[in-house]
Amino acid sequence: MLPPCSSQVLQIPLCDRWQIYHRLQELMIPCSCHSDGTLRVQINSWLTAILVRSTVMQFLGSRQELIDWLERCWYCNHY
């Protein structure tokens, strides 16, 4: 269970960090990039946690992982 509000530190490859950061900003999820190479994200709800996971997967997931995730979502929505 997530605490009411927690700060999570993500280790994201440099080449993807700014794109993920900007996408999270578009989703109005509080986050910041630090000089130590980390991306810090403020998680305050399950929805935020799901959006962060989805955003990171979009950039770092393999094609097969993305297909599997989409199929699981599709299955859950139809059954």
Side-chain angles (χ1 to χ4, degrees):
M1 178 180 284
L2 286 174
C5 188
S6 68
S7 178
Q8 301 296 315
V9 177
L10 306 177
Q11 296 295 331
I12 305 291
L14 182 61
C15 59
D16 298 309
R17 189 171 305 126
W18 283 107
Q19 288 180 297
I20 292 171
Y21 168 80
H22 287 293
R23 179 62 185 135
L24 293 174
Q25 290 285 309
E26 290 172 352
L27 294 169
M28 295 189 294
I29 297 172
C31 58
S32 57
C33 286
H34 292 263
S35 59
D36 65 359
T38 60
L39 174 62
R40 296 178 194 265
V41 181
Q42 191 70 40
I43 309 265
N44 55 14
S45 70
W46 284 106
L47 177 58
T48 302
I50 291 167
L51 288 171
V52 170
R53 182 193 186 281
S54 178
T55 300
V56 171
M57 266 188 74
Q58 176 185 358
F59 289 94
L60 302 181
S62 70
R63 184 175 193 278
Q64 190 58 52
E65 288 172 321
L66 296 173
I67 290 170
D68 292 344
W69 175 255
L70 182 60
E71 287 175 346
R72 282 194 305 272
C73 291
W74 181 262
Y75 180 80
C76 289
N77 283 327
H78 285 83
Y79 298 101

